[in-house]
Amino acid sequence: MTSTLYRNGVVHSATHPFAQALMVEAGVITWLGDEDTADQMSAQQTIDLDGALVAPAFVDAAADLGAPADLAGAAAHGVVSLHTLTSPGRSAADASATSLGAGGHAQVEVVAYETGGAGRRGALDLEAVSDDQAVAAVVSATRAHRPVALVVGTAQSEQRALRALETASEREGAAAVARAGHRLVGLRSVSAETSAQVARLGVRVTFVVPDLPLGSAAAAGLAVSLGGFSSDPWGAVLHAMTQEPAAERVSARAAFRAATRGGWRAVGQDDVGELRPGAVAHLAVWRGGHLGVQGPRSAWSSDARAGTPLLPFLEADDQRPVCLRTVRAGAVIYDTWG
């Protein structure tokens, strides 16, 4: 059983906010704790973090994938999973079969929502189909227990998507629609009426950079994911804190959770995306700048005694945190340590 001990760093964990080290064994996090305890532990590999941050890895929940090189680029930015909403020229099964990339590293996971719904998951562009086609696709997918990502770009297409979901709910039942795991992708705003419908139907929501109405979603209690940020995930977090209108701004932690754990919840994996004992080891190691607790208007505190997991302090003119290592299910998919 392979094991790696990461120590002498800062671990972003809600369950262990003061952790300085963690152990990964056979792809699973088996321990988090302090340096004193780490002194008593042994592993096949020990990584001295030298103060670096270990945090949950990013999930781009609405990516467009072209050449395989995009996988390496995503991994270099701390991304372990890409949800593609159009066919990337190969099925999800093909992507999984290609398990090794450059240097023998495992690749970023590709979760394909193929146009037309040819695979297990379907993507439906509401700008390109009729109302009847949208209803038929959602009803068929609901009956087959398959999720559909309904991609919207305007207020009109948003309403058409919601009508299709409502019709599916009337025909198949609200519980069946919720179990299917359908998603609305690309909402540019979230009204009280839309929030109520989404919550009642059990539909998941993915916002795509730069349109991140996270403040409205948080006020409505919606669980959301983020997409379109593979080349600059920390930029997406910064944008969520500083965007206009100010009412849509959220804290760094809220944006980070939407860009990490939110992506797993979007595909029904509600217990993935955090650093805690027993969790799958999807993580990234970061170097750069101060660590603190940053609010939606850039107010921040570095007082670790508060027990809030720390994140890099982000400013528009500062260099983004640098990814040192990306790990998916315990396998290193990007590494600067050799």
Side-chain angles (χ1 to χ4, degrees):
M1 180 172 65
T2 59
S3 60
T4 304
L5 175 63
Y6 296 87
R7 59 177 303 180
N8 188 29
V10 178
V11 179
H12 182 95
S13 171
T15 61
H16 294 69
F18 304 111
Q20 300 165 298
L22 78 161
M23 178 79 79
V24 175
E25 299 181 82
V28 174
I29 297 170
T30 57
W31 171 84
L32 296 92
D34 57 27
E35 276 295 297
D36 289 342
T37 306
D39 285 337
Q40 313 303 316
M41 306 184 75
S42 62
Q44 291 174 308
Q45 182 184 35
T46 297
I47 300 294
D48 183 354
L49 296 167
D50 189 27
L53 172 71
V54 183
F58 287 104
V59 177
D60 188 333
D64 289 323
L65 180 63
D70 290 339
L71 299 179
H77 289 93
V79 178
V80 296
S81 183
L82 294 169
H83 301 176
T84 64
L85 303 180
T86 57
S87 174
R90 55 182 180 177
S91 68
D94 292 334
S96 298
T98 310
S99 59
L100 297 180
H105 292 161
Q107 289 186 332
V108 169
E109 175 194 34
V110 177
V111 179
Y113 282 75
E114 298 187 17
T115 301
R120 291 191 307 112
R121 304 175 180 89
L124 195 65
D125 183 353
L126 269 294
E127 302 287 349
V129 298
S130 68
D131 286 353
D132 288 343
Q133 289 172 321
V135 169
V138 176
V139 169
S140 176
T142 300
R143 289 175 178 171
H145 310 291
R146 289 191 297 108
V148 171
L150 296 99
V151 183
V152 301
T154 64
Q156 181 181 21
S157 62
E158 171 191 325
Q159 291 305 311
R160 293 177 62 226
L162 288 168
R163 284 198 298 270
L165 289 163
E166 288 282 8
T167 302
S169 177
E170 292 167 2
R171 295 183 184 179
E172 305 301 318
V177 170
R179 284 196 300 269
H182 302 315
R183 268 203 274 173
L184 280 172
V185 179
L187 292 180
R188 296 184 178 183
S189 62
V190 180
S191 66
E193 181 181 3
T194 297
S195 298
Q197 282 185 281
V198 168
R200 178 167 46 80
L201 293 167
V203 177
R204 295 152 191 180
V205 176
T206 299
F207 298 134
V208 181
V209 177
D211 299 305
L212 305 179
L214 289 165
S216 296
L222 301 181
V224 301
S225 53
L226 303 186
F229 61 72
S230 293
S231 63
D232 188 11
W234 291 111
V237 173
L238 176 62
H239 177 67
M241 290 190 295
T242 59
Q243 64 182 321
E244 296 294 343
E248 297 298 355
R249 297 172 184 169
V250 294
S251 67
R253 186 184 181 199
F256 181 75
R257 284 175 65 84
T260 53
R261 187 184 180 192
W264 299 110
R265 296 180 73 178
V267 291
Q269 299 185 47
D270 294 349
D271 59 343
V272 183
E274 294 186 303
L275 303 187
R276 54 174 175 75
V280 179
H282 299 309
L283 58 87
V285 181
W286 301 93
R287 173 88 64 202
H290 301 289
L291 298 179
V293 179
Q294 196 171 4
R297 291 168 180 79
S298 294
W300 72 295
S301 168
S302 60
D303 189 347
R305 293 173 299 178
T308 303
L310 304 180
L311 288 170
F313 180 67
L314 303 172
E315 286 281 15
D317 296 332
D318 290 349
Q319 181 180 356
R320 299 284 192 262
V322 175
C323 185
L324 304 178
R325 172 176 281 198
T326 306
V327 176
R328 179 169 70 84
V332 177
I333 63 173
Y334 174 75
D335 197 16
T336 62
W337 283 311

